[in-house]
Amino acid sequence: MKDVAALAGVGLKTVSRVVNGEPGVTPDTERRVQEAIDSLGFRRNDSARVLRKGRTASVGLVLEDLADPFYGPLSRAVEEVARAHGALLINGSSAENPEREQELALALCARRVDGLIVIPAGTDHRYLEPEIKAGVATVFVDRPAGRIDADVVLSDSFGGSRDGVAHLIAHGHRRIGFIGDQPRIHTATERLRGYRAAMEDAGLDVDPSWVSLGPTAPDRVREAVTAMVSGPEPVTALFAGNNRVTVTAVRTLAGRPDPVALVGFDDIELADLLGITVIAQDAAALGRTAAERLFRRLDGFEDEPAHVVLDTRLIPRGSGEIPPPA
């Protein structure tokens, strides 16, 4: 900064104001300082800035799986909000492993991120209590925190699932299968609860063989779909609990002589061209809302932890409107 000041013919404070975007510098002076910075290849020392201000201008995002299409718009929305606040986003995947989630979250805290946005894999987040007390703002997305009270932003998994199953019932289906994620996952249990609520509202019993929860690996889902649509009294419709289940269900049902109605939770790529009816959640709105909540905390607001639930939307495209066999 001394070299920049000398080349531009200004004081150190003026250089500092230009670098940090502070007022009180004339356009001509700002231009001369910027030209000196460019000429000398000056780069701000963020490590020194952290020591001086106590803030890193960085936030961490712990996702389930960076390769999952659902998390692309969510991550981008968080990044856009962070950028608008002059912060860098650092993200990583937990791979749906609670130990890896904890390891990643604490590694980000060790690098002194100012805040964390976490999509939980585990059900006990007391390990973050010391970090939160030390000032690391923390917001949970898609699933609530376990055993601590913290800000959370969710989609309406229960209501969306209930709407999707009610849509199948309205089109004449009475034997409807549900295939979801692992039962320890909050969204999976909420969507199953919505399925059961819709069936109960319609006065329909649920046969245990119509419900399958477990890993979303294609082999497991394919086996569940095949079992439900086979036999003397097969289901005539399926509700898929997330985007990965929907993709495998579409592939498994393709080419069957007797079509099976299908509604999936989460939109998927090419669903509009394939005619797949879905319950869509707004992943970008989830990320944006969570990030805005995080920076509200970082700006000093200390209100009670918020529980925000965003609406879902039924998009009928054809697969959910197939009637049962006559």
Side-chain angles (χ1 to χ4, degrees):
M1 287 180 67
K2 289 180 180 178
D3 292 340
V4 170
L7 183 61
V10 299
L12 280 174
K13 182 60 178 175
T14 300
V15 176
S16 176
R17 284 174 176 161
V18 172
V19 169
N20 291 293
E22 297 174 2
V25 181
T26 66
D28 181 64
T29 300
E30 182 177 359
R31 177 186 56 76
R32 285 190 288 117
V33 170
Q34 193 59 57
E35 287 177 351
I37 288 172
D38 294 341
S39 174
L40 294 169
F42 171 82
R43 296 291 181 272
R44 184 174 63 193
N45 186 329
D46 280 338
S47 296
R49 184 169 177 264
V50 169
L51 291 173
R52 181 167 58 88
K53 292 191 172 184
R55 292 275 291 271
T56 63
S58 63
V59 295
L61 173 61
V62 180
L63 299 166
E64 176 196 343
D65 183 359
L66 285 169
D68 189 325
F70 173 74
Y71 295 118
L74 188 154
S75 178
R76 174 63 64 86
V78 172
E79 185 175 27
E80 288 176 353
V81 174
R83 185 177 180 184
H85 285 81
L88 176 70
L89 177 67
I90 308 169
N91 58 29
S93 299
S94 70
E96 201 61 72
N97 183 308
E99 289 75 23
R100 186 166 171 178
E101 172 215 299
Q102 179 173 339
E103 178 185 344
L104 179 57
L106 292 179
L108 289 167
C109 290
R111 284 158 178 75
R112 299 189 64 182
V113 294
D114 299 321
L116 281 176
I117 294 176
V118 180
I119 297 173
T123 57
D124 186 348
H125 293 92
R126 288 176 296 174
Y127 72 86
L128 280 173
E129 284 183 333
E131 310 299 333
I132 294 171
K133 288 179 181 177
V136 179
T138 306
V139 178
F140 291 81
V141 184
D142 193 43
R143 309 163 188 171
R147 307 185 73 175
I148 65 171
D149 194 16
D151 290 318
V152 60
V153 182
L154 309 171
S155 290
D156 187 4
S157 286
F158 169 78
S161 179
R162 182 180 57 187
D163 291 345
V165 176
H167 184 74
L168 290 167
I169 294 170
H171 283 81
H173 295 278
R174 299 296 178 265
R175 299 194 304 275
I176 303 170
F178 177 92
I179 303 177
D181 210 329
Q182 301 185 71
R184 65 178 175 80
I185 297 174
H186 172 81
T187 49
T189 57
E190 282 295 285
R191 291 167 196 176
L192 176 59
R193 192 167 70 88
Y195 161 81
R196 293 191 181 279
M199 297 292 278
E200 183 179 349
D201 290 345
L204 300 174
D205 293 329
V206 175
D207 189 292
S209 66
W210 297 351
V211 175
S212 177
L213 296 179
T216 57
D219 287 348
R220 200 283 298 183
V221 175
R222 189 181 306 112
E223 182 179 335
V225 171
T226 301
M228 289 186 191
V229 301
S230 303
E233 290 192 348
V235 299
T236 62
L238 287 171
F239 186 85
N242 66 24
N243 55 357
R244 286 164 289 188
V245 174
T246 301
V247 169
T248 301
V250 169
R251 289 174 173 161
T252 305
L253 296 173
R256 286 183 60 85
D258 298 321
V260 176
L262 173 68
V263 175
F265 202 108
D266 291 339
D267 212 348
I268 61 173
E269 189 175 4
L270 302 181
D272 53 341
L273 296 178
L274 296 171
I276 308 301
T277 298
V278 299
I279 300 295
Q281 52 180 333
D282 192 337
L286 280 171
R288 183 169 54 253
T289 304
E292 288 170 349
R293 187 75 196 173
L294 184 76
F295 282 98
R296 177 181 172 86
R297 290 286 182 199
L298 290 174
D299 287 340
F301 289 91
E302 298 182 356
D303 47 353
E304 291 297 311
H307 187 97
V308 181
V309 180
L310 304 184
D311 290 336
T312 57
R313 181 167 56 103
L314 172 69
I315 305 177
R317 295 189 178 120
S319 70
E321 296 70 54
I322 298 172

